[in-house]
Amino acid sequence: MPINKTTPEAMIFDLDGTLFQTETLLLPAYHATFEQLRAEGLFQGETPDEKYMLSGLGMLLEHIWQLVIPDADVKVHRRADELLLQLQVEGMARGEGKLYDGVAETLRELRRRGVRLFIASNGLEAYVKGVIRHQGLEPFFEAGGLYSAGEYATRSKVDLVRQLLDKHGIENAWMVGDRSSDVEAGHANGLFVVGCDYAGFRKEGELDQADVRIADFRDLPALLDA
C-alpha cells in the first residue's frame, strides 16, 4: 500500500546506483582483487563474470561473495573483502569513480530548501565515507549522517535506517534508492520511497513497490513541489 507523500524533513539516500556510478570504481578493483587472490593461491581459474558482482550491488558484501564465488571457503571471501576495499580506496585517491549527472547540484538544492540529508548503505564504512569525501559531497550531509552496515554491524537496511531515524530524531523522511532493499527499508520504517530507475543493476520489477520512480537524479527536487 503506497505511503502518502508529505514534505520531508529529511532524505535518506542509498549510495551505489543512486548517487554513485559504482561500476566506474568497482570493476577495475574487482579484476585486480582476483589477480591478487590468484597470486596468493586462494583462487584458481578465470575471474567470474562481472554480472555476478553487479547483480549483487545493494547486498551485504558477505552475501555478494556467496553469489560471485559460492564454492570458495569463507576465508577467501574475507580476504576478498579486504582486497576489494583496499583497491577501491586506492582508486578513489587516484580520482577514479563518478557520480551520476547532477548529484552535487541536486543535493545542494535540497539543502537550500532545508532538507536534512543522510546516507544509509550496505557497504563498508571506509568505502562509504571515502566515496562521499573524495567526491566532495561531505558538506551536503548532516554531521554523523553517513550510515553503513559495515560501521553499525546491522544485518539489514531496515535496521540501519531505524537506527538512523532514532538517533537523529527524524519523524518524516523519504528513502531514495535503486534496490528492493531500499524499498523494504523505507516502507518498514513508514517512509515514502523514491525509486531511482537509472542504474541498471536491479532485477526486473525490483522497484515496483516504490511510491514513485525517477529516471534522473535531477528530477528529485521537483517531487517536493508536486
Side-chain angles (χ1 to χ4, degrees):
M1 182 176 179
I3 293 175
N4 290 332
K5 179 170 75 70
T6 57
T7 301
E9 62 178 289
M11 290 190 190
I12 302 170
F13 297 94
D14 176 45
L15 179 62
D16 293 323
T18 299
L19 305 180
F20 188 59
Q21 294 186 51
T22 316
E23 69 277 15
T24 60
L25 176 67
L26 172 65
L27 293 181
Y30 174 74
H31 288 283
T33 292
F34 277 93
E35 289 177 13
Q36 186 60 32
L37 289 174
R38 282 189 287 266
E40 294 178 8
L42 294 173
F43 186 80
Q44 297 178 338
E46 296 295 316
T47 298
D49 195 302
E50 294 172 351
K51 68 182 180 182
Y52 297 110
M53 173 57 78
L54 293 175
S55 68
L57 290 176
M59 297 179 184
L60 295 170
L61 200 53
E62 64 181 277
H63 297 153
I64 294 178
W65 293 124
Q66 291 166 10
L67 186 67
V68 175
I69 42 176
D71 298 328
D73 189 86
V74 67
K75 72 176 184 180
V76 179
H77 290 178
R78 298 293 75 79
R79 179 57 177 151
D81 284 347
E82 296 170 358
L83 288 169
L84 188 68
L85 176 61
Q86 173 191 334
L87 291 161
Q88 287 185 109
V89 169
E90 291 172 358
M92 290 178 209
R94 293 192 297 268
E96 295 175 7
K98 296 180 180 179
L99 299 170
Y100 287 101
D101 290 341
V103 163
E105 296 85 350
T106 300
L107 294 176
R108 183 180 295 111
E109 172 63 14
L110 293 171
R111 278 297 300 268
R112 187 190 69 78
R113 295 191 185 203
V115 181
R116 302 165 66 191
L117 306 182
F118 298 86
I119 292 286
S121 168
N122 274 337
L124 297 174
E125 179 184 4
Y127 170 78
V128 172
K129 292 181 176 178
V131 169
I132 296 300
R133 182 175 67 254
H134 284 288
Q135 294 295 330
L137 300 180
E138 278 184 311
F140 303 125
F141 290 96
E142 188 137 330
L146 307 181
Y147 279 63
S148 62
E151 179 176 4
Y152 287 88
T154 51
R155 301 298 298 171
S156 76
K157 190 168 279 192
V158 171
D159 295 335
L160 187 66
V161 170
R162 171 48 54 197
Q163 286 192 39
L164 189 163
L165 294 169
D166 289 346
K167 185 171 181 179
H168 294 271
I170 299 167
E171 296 183 359
N172 176 25
W174 290 3
M175 183 72 210
V176 184
D178 71 307
R179 303 303 302 264
S180 60
S181 57
D182 301 308
V183 179
E184 179 189 21
H187 284 167
N189 286 292
L191 309 183
F192 183 81
V193 175
V194 180
C196 297
D197 206 5
Y198 45 76
F201 304 142
R202 70 204 156 276
K203 301 183 183 75
E204 188 68 31
E206 199 163 0
L207 292 176
D208 284 356
Q209 300 306 310
D211 297 298
V212 68
R213 284 188 271 185
I214 55 174
D216 189 303
F217 191 77
R218 292 168 289 196
D219 294 340
L220 196 52
L223 294 178
L224 294 172
D225 305 321

